[in-house]
């Protein structure tokens, strides 16, 4: 096997194994241990972060922030990858902010000049606009880490209805929509799933509470929703109302569209979310007809009466 090919395969193997012994690699590639040691030295000089451990159970390990092997891209693939990362720049907060900026810089600087020129031209012709938001979501990385590792966090959460409250939550997943980051999490205070706006989380730290087994839940708020204090929500939507609801990521799983373009919402929701649904259905105006629950209808009436008084005279 040519040395260049062996080094490439060796790089992929050590990244995959993370922990290995020289003799294992020598047997795998059919070369001497001395040759493998020289190859590992070359990989280390190329930036693969290796360190050795002595003793009967020693060997080599790759540190956590390992370097991935080179990947060949076509010009079209390179442009697609660039703009996929470039589009994130409109978000004031990212769970991997510094890493995305570093990756984009490396990716761009190592492209041939003609490919960079092509991308520079495309930057003036295509963009992925996201509304600019003034509030930073400072704990995105902690929320994502907790969702992946299934950990419980103690957070301070600020809401319009309750002010700042202490919560113990177990994040399930995060998503970005309309310039904001949202986290679906199990709330131990409410004993059910809740949707948290990440920029309203003022503090977050690991909590010793035993986490729930939520690994089977996937990226769909509808799948995770299991209201503890449930009320039935039914509403008829015009075609325009249906289109507006389709644009809401959290609502689209609850929406059933008819062949004529109109739609219906028929699902169970948390009673504690009625203030949120009050604002949302008011924003739809004549494009929605709410059928139930009665307490949501009453909440909407009270809100509209308050608005009318505000603008009388």
């Amino acid at each position: 096997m040519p040395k260049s090919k062996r080094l490439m395969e060796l790089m992929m193997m050590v990244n995959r194994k993370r922990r290995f012994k020289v003799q294992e690699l020598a047997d795998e590639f059919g070369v001497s241990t001395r040759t493998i040691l020289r190859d590992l030295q070359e990989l280390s000089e190329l930036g693969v972060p290796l360190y050795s451990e002595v003793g009967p159970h020693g060997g080599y390990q790759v540190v956590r922030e390992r370097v991935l092997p080179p990947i060949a891209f076509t010009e079209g693939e390179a442009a697609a990858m660039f703009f996929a990362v470039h589009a994130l720049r409109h978000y004031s907060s990212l769970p991997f902010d510094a890493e995305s900026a570093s990756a984009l810089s490396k990716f761009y600087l190592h492209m041939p000049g003609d490919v960079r020129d092509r991308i520079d031209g495309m930057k003036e012709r295509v963009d992925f606009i996201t509304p600019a938001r003034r509030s930073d979501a400072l704990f995105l990385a902690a929320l994502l880490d907790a969702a992946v590792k299934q950990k419980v966090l103690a957070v301070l959460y600020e809401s319009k209805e309750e002010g700042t409250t202490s919560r113990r939550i177990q994040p399930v997943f995060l998503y970005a929509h309309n310039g904001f980051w949202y986290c679906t999490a199990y709330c131990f205070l409410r004993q059910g799933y809740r949707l948290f706006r990440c920029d309203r989380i003022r503090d977050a730290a690991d909590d010793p509470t035993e986490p729930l087994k939520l690994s089977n839940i996937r990226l769909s708020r509808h799948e995770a929703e299991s209201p503890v204090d449930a009320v039935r929500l039914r509403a008829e939507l015009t075609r325009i109302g249906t289109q507006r609801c389709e644009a809401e990521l959290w609502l689209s799983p609850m929406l059933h569209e008819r062949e004529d373009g109109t739609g219906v919402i028929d699902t169970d929701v948390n009673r504690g979310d009625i203030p949120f649904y009050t604002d949302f259905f008011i924003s739809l105006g004549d494009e929605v007809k709410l059928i139930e629950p009665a307490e949501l209808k009453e909440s909407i009436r009270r809100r509209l009466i308050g608005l009318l008084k505000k603008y009388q005279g």
Side-chain angles (χ1 to χ4, degrees), residues 235-243 246 255-265 287:
E236 294 282 343
L237 296 159
T238 66
R239 293 178 64 181
I240 294 175
T242 301
Q243 292 170 2
E246 285 177 333
L255 178 65
H256 302 281
E257 184 178 357
R258 301 189 181 99
E259 290 185 4
D260 62 357
T262 62
V264 61
I265 298 171
E287 310 304 333

Side-chain angles (χ1 to χ4, degrees), residues 35-281:
T35 299
I36 289 294
L37 286 171
R38 284 200 301 266
D39 289 347
L40 291 175
Q41 179 64 34
E42 289 195 38
L43 290 185
S44 181
E45 292 172 358
L46 289 171
V48 178
L50 298 168
Y51 72 93
S52 59
E53 294 179 335
V54 298
H57 302 290
Y60 278 84
Q61 277 192 273
V62 183
V63 298
R64 185 177 179 183
E65 291 295 330
R66 61 192 190 276
V67 175
L68 299 180
I71 302 173
F73 291 99
T74 66
E75 287 189 20
E77 290 170 341
M81 292 293 294
F82 177 87
F83 280 101
V85 181
H86 185 63
L88 298 175
R89 75 192 189 284
H90 293 298
Y91 282 92
S92 60
S93 302
L94 291 169
F96 30 74
D97 200 2
E99 292 86 350
S100 63
S102 174
L104 189 64
S105 175
K106 287 181 180 179
F107 202 65
Y108 182 78
L109 291 175
H110 286 82
M111 290 179 183
D114 59 324
V115 178
R116 287 203 302 268
D117 291 342
R118 179 186 173 190
I119 286 178
D120 289 341
M122 292 174 66
K123 283 163 63 176
E124 302 301 324
R125 298 291 181 265
V126 62
D127 202 357
F128 304 86
I129 299 297
T130 301
R133 304 298 184 184
R134 288 176 293 178
S135 300
D136 289 331
L138 302 177
F139 298 98
L140 282 179
L143 292 168
L144 180 58
D145 183 66
V148 172
K149 297 179 180 177
Q150 297 190 57
K151 297 190 300 183
V152 176
L153 297 179
V155 303
L156 291 178
Y157 187 69
E158 186 177 291
S159 66
K160 292 187 293 185
E161 294 81 16
E162 302 179 77
T164 302
T165 57
S166 298
R167 307 281 189 101
R168 284 177 299 120
I169 66 171
Q170 184 173 337
V172 181
F173 46 75
L174 283 77
Y175 67 85
H177 177 61
N178 204 26
F180 289 116
W181 281 93
Y182 297 89
C183 176
T184 295
Y186 183 86
C187 177
F188 289 85
L189 176 65
R190 303 300 185 208
Q191 295 188 342
Y193 294 96
R194 290 294 186 270
L195 186 66
F196 296 90
R197 229 179 72 182
C198 297
D199 59 304
R200 292 178 179 169
I201 294 177
R202 304 306 181 202
D203 193 21
D206 289 350
D207 187 272
T209 301
E210 182 70 22
L212 303 176
K213 294 182 179 180
L214 305 178
S215 58
N216 61 319
I217 298 176
R218 295 295 179 258
L219 190 56
S220 167
R221 182 173 185 259
H222 184 58
E223 291 176 3
E225 194 66 50
S226 180
V228 175
D229 186 13
V231 292
R232 187 181 181 188
L233 172 62
R234 286 198 300 147
E236 294 282 343
L237 296 159
T238 66
R239 293 178 64 181
I240 294 175
T242 301
Q243 292 170 2
R244 289 176 61 180
C245 289
E246 285 177 333
E248 299 291 339
L249 182 62
W250 59 270
L251 181 57
S252 58
M254 310 178 195
L255 178 65
H256 302 281
E257 184 178 357
R258 301 189 181 99
E259 290 185 4
D260 62 357
T262 62
V264 61
I265 298 171
D266 189 350
T267 187
D268 289 337
V269 299
N270 284 295
R271 194 182 304 274
D273 289 338
I274 282 182
F276 169 78
Y277 287 107
T278 298
D279 291 337
F280 180 73
F281 281 114

